[in-house]
């Protein structure tokens, strides 16, 4: 367990807090790039700050203070110009660097550009990669924006799923280094949700963790596997400091504030050989619901089950009352590393995972099992018959609520018809790596 003071240190992320200062040392994914094609101006809240994200008429992307520095009007109602975002109240115009480009009346009445030079609005840099928009909310020299190998995989259908989860970020990210929860939260609970009493999933018999440059690896052996299995030889990636990588998808847990978390998932599904070459012109995004029509928490899909666990711990988990067990070794590793990183930043040093030199070849190669599954396609018949990949074609397995148009776009990319996908298949409990 943690003391109250340690729990406060871990969970508070607003401006000026030690953990907030730490997380501001990293590029954070904040939106899908294609969102701004549908809506040029979007209000966002990150690390306790109210901001507005926009794309101007020249295609430049900005992230600035939600409130105009003139009379504090809401800039999310502003309108984009060739260069920047204009406040709809009195027309003041700001560029992506926070400079005041125009003050319409003052420019006429005073005729002195130096007057507007005295006014700036808060602004943060934004970059695009992998179909995502990333923001850096820190100060000083910008670190290198991570370019993960998966972002450049060809011949795949990609999608981005966004949800807002009403709880603190830390209990979400602790889930990323907790292998035993797969057995109970996903496999066994799914069995019980179907009204069955068993048989339960194979039990975990051994877990281990390894640190590497970009985070930690968690490894495990179940009753049905041994030390030759990829769950042990390769493991899965806890991506530092707010993510997890499971081969076919990333998940990031971005703090909105102390009591809310932005869940962003990036997913990849390889098309069959018959559909190559496949070039995806636009990566679709969708917002995954957390509650059903009756207001109940959704528990049918993998990440929705995770959401239920996180939310159930309370808005901010009280770690002074917990009793950690042997299965929580990874949680302890994560907390110690975060506290060490807070200390490093306070002393002027870089924390774990911040990139200052480009990786070899320009991309980050993360440990991954079943590598060929993502880099070499299968014939369509084999893909449809595959016990995992074929089932994933029939419906997105990780989150509920995939829109029909995204599902149909996936089927078109795969060269299958809705009628084929409507045929009965061997349904299994939700799977997670």
């Amino acid at each position: 367990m943690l003391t109250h003071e340690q729990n406060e240190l871990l969970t508070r992320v607003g401006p000026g807090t030690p953990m907030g200062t730490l997380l501001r040392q990293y590029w954070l994914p904040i939106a899908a790039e294609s969102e701004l094609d549908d809506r040029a101006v979007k209000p966002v809240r990150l690390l306790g700050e109210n901001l507005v994200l926009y794309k101007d008429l020249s295609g430049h992307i900005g992230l600035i203070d939600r409130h105009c520095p003139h009379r504090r009007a809401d800039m999310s109602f502003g309108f984009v110009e060739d260069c920047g975002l204009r406040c709809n109240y009195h027309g003041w115009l700001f560029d992506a660097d926070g400079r005041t480009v125009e003050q319409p009346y003052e420019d006429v009445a005073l005729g002195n550009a130096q007057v507007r030079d005295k006014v700036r609005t808060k602004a943060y840099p934004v970059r695009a990669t992998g179909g995502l928009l990333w923001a850096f909310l820190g100060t000083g020299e910008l670190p290198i924006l991570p370019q993960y190998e998966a972002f450049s995989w060809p011949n795949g259908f990609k999608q981005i799923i966004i949800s807002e989860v009403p709880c603190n970020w830390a209990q979400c990210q602790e889930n990323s280094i907790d292998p035993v929860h797969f057995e109970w939260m996903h496999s066994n609970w799914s069995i019980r949700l179907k009204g069955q009493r068993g048989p339960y999933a194979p039990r975990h018999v051994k877990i281990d963790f390894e640190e590497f440059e970009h985070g930690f690896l968690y490894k495990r052996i179940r009753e049905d596997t041994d030390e030759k299995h990829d769950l042990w030889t390769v493991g899965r990636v806890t991506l530092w400091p707010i993510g997890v990588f499971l081969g076919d998808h990333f998940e990031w847990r971005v703090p909105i504030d102390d009591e809310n978390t932005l869940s962003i998932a990036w997913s990849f599904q390889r098309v069959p050989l018959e559909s190559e070459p496949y070039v995806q012109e636009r990566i679709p995004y969708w917002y995954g619901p957390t509650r059903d029509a009756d207001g109940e928490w959704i528990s049918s899909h993998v990440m929705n089950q995770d959401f239920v666990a996180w939310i159930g711990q309370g808005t901010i988990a009280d770690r002074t009352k917990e009793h950690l067990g042997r299965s929580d070794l990874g949680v302890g590793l994560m907390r110690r590393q975060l506290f060490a990183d807070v200390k490093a930043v306070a002393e002027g040093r870089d924390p774990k995972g911040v990139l200052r030199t480009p990786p070899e070849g320009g991309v980050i190669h993360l440990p991954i099992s079943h590598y060929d599954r993502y880099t070499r396609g299968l014939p369509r018949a084999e893909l449809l018959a595959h016990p995992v990949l074929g089932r994933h074609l029939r419906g997105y397995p990780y989150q509920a609520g995939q829109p029909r148009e995204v599902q149909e776009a996936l089927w078109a990319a795969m060269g299958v018809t809705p009628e084929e996908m409507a045929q009965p298949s061997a349904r299994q409990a939700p799977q997670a790596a």
Side-chain angles (χ1 to χ4, degrees):
M1 67 177 66
L2 299 183
T3 65
H4 174 76
E5 291 73 22
Q6 289 172 321
N7 201 44
E8 289 286 291
L9 176 61
L10 181 66
T11 58
R12 302 299 179 178
V13 295
T17 61
M19 190 59 64
T21 301
L22 167 62
L23 295 178
R24 285 169 171 78
Q25 308 305 305
Y26 302 89
W27 287 99
L28 305 176
I30 62 170
E33 188 174 6
S34 54
E35 284 189 79
L36 295 185
D37 295 330
D38 300 331
R39 179 184 185 183
V41 183
K42 177 187 178 182
V44 296
R45 183 168 167 82
L46 300 167
L47 296 171
E49 297 188 45
N50 291 319
L51 306 167
V52 62
L53 178 69
Y54 71 88
K55 181 164 72 172
D56 68 23
L57 298 178
S58 298
H60 298 122
I61 297 172
L63 180 66
I64 64 174
D65 196 315
R66 175 82 176 264
H67 297 286
C68 178
H70 176 209
R71 297 266 297 280
R72 307 303 292 166
D74 188 343
M75 292 294 292
S76 70
F77 292 101
F79 42 93
V80 292
E81 300 283 13
D82 289 334
C83 177
L85 182 66
R86 187 184 296 278
C87 179
N88 69 325
Y89 198 11
H90 295 93
W92 288 24
L93 177 65
F94 304 93
D95 67 13
D97 293 323
R99 290 186 293 258
T100 306
V101 180
E102 291 182 14
Q103 294 173 316
Y105 179 76
E106 285 72 12
D107 290 344
V108 172
L110 301 176
N112 187 349
Q114 292 181 347
V115 175
R116 86 169 78 102
D117 291 342
K118 296 178 181 178
V119 180
R120 296 183 68 96
T121 193
K122 179 169 56 183
Y124 295 116
V126 179
R127 303 287 185 270
T129 188
L132 292 164
L133 296 177
W134 303 70
F136 181 76
L137 274 64
T139 59
E141 181 184 359
L142 297 181
I144 293 173
L145 178 65
Q147 301 287 344
Y148 298 110
E149 177 194 8
F151 289 167
S152 62
W153 285 341
N155 297 311
F157 184 88
K158 303 164 187 175
Q159 56 187 305
I160 293 165
I161 305 94
I162 303 169
S163 297
E164 291 193 11
V165 187
C167 67
N168 184 261
W169 80 281
Q171 58 222 56
C172 306
Q173 184 59 9
E174 286 175 345
N175 184 83
S176 303
I177 199 165
D178 176 7
V180 176
H181 92 276
F182 289 111
E183 177 186 338
W184 292 96
M185 173 60 64
H186 302 309
S187 297
N188 293 343
W189 191 28
S190 296
I191 291 169
R192 297 303 292 267
L193 286 172
K194 292 189 294 183
Q196 301 172 5
R197 297 287 298 273
Y200 280 167
R203 291 179 300 180
H204 284 76
V205 297
K206 186 177 181 181
I207 62 173
D208 198 10
F209 303 88
E210 291 182 13
E211 184 177 3
F212 77 118
E213 180 182 2
H214 303 291
F216 292 89
L217 296 173
Y218 62 81
K219 302 186 173 188
R220 52 202 172 108
I221 298 175
R222 303 181 308 212
E223 291 174 320
D224 62 339
T225 62
D226 57 27
E227 293 188 356
K228 297 179 181 179
H229 196 279
D230 68 272
L231 288 174
W232 185 260
T233 58
V234 179
R236 302 293 185 266
V237 175
T238 299
L239 190 60
W240 206 251
I242 60 166
V244 64
F245 174 62
L246 299 172
D248 62 349
H249 74 286
F250 291 87
E251 299 170 25
W252 290 277
R253 291 76 189 252
V254 184
I256 295 174
D257 50 35
D258 293 346
E259 299 184 348
N260 298 277
T261 300
L262 186 67
S263 168
I264 296 184
W266 181 99
S267 177
F268 177 92
Q269 289 172 272
R270 179 82 186 199
V271 302
L273 293 174
E274 293 90 337
S275 296
E276 296 182 10
Y278 171 74
V279 178
Q280 190 175 26
E281 299 297 335
R282 181 179 188 266
I283 299 178
Y285 69 93
W286 48 281
Y287 279 77
T290 57
R291 293 181 184 267
D292 63 20
D294 297 321
E296 299 292 332
W297 298 111
I298 298 171
S299 59
S300 56
H301 290 61
V302 173
M303 288 180 63
N304 293 94
Q305 293 172 343
D306 287 329
F307 296 166
V308 169
W310 308 342
I311 295 164
Q313 292 175 273
T315 304
I316 300 177
D318 185 353
R319 292 172 178 79
T320 68
K321 296 180 179 179
E322 66 185 7
H323 298 276
L324 300 185
R326 185 70 177 175
S327 66
D328 301 307
L329 290 173
V331 173
L333 283 174
M334 177 186 143
R335 294 176 185 177
R336 288 192 293 274
Q337 183 64 55
L338 286 170
F339 292 149
D341 285 346
V342 164
K343 184 174 185 291
V345 171
E347 295 173 349
R349 296 180 285 114
D350 277 339
K352 180 178 179 62
V354 168
L355 294 178
R356 294 299 182 191
T357 58
E360 185 176 354
V363 298
I364 297 173
H365 297 271
L366 297 172
I368 180 173
S369 60
H370 306 300
Y371 188 78
D372 288 353
R373 181 180 291 179
Y374 313 112
T375 59
R376 296 176 59 185
L378 293 172
R380 185 174 291 112
E382 289 186 30
L383 178 63
L384 290 172
H386 194 280
V388 175
L389 302 180
R391 189 174 66 254
H392 286 189
L393 285 183
R394 287 177 161 82
Y396 189 69
Y398 299 117
Q399 276 193 252
Q402 184 186 50
R404 181 71 177 187
E405 62 267 22
V406 176
Q407 192 174 52
E408 291 182 348
L410 168 66
W411 292 343
M414 299 294 173
V416 299
T417 66
E419 291 73 25
E420 286 178 287
M421 294 297 96
Q423 295 175 4
S425 64
R427 293 282 182 177
Q428 300 180 17
Q431 298 292 308

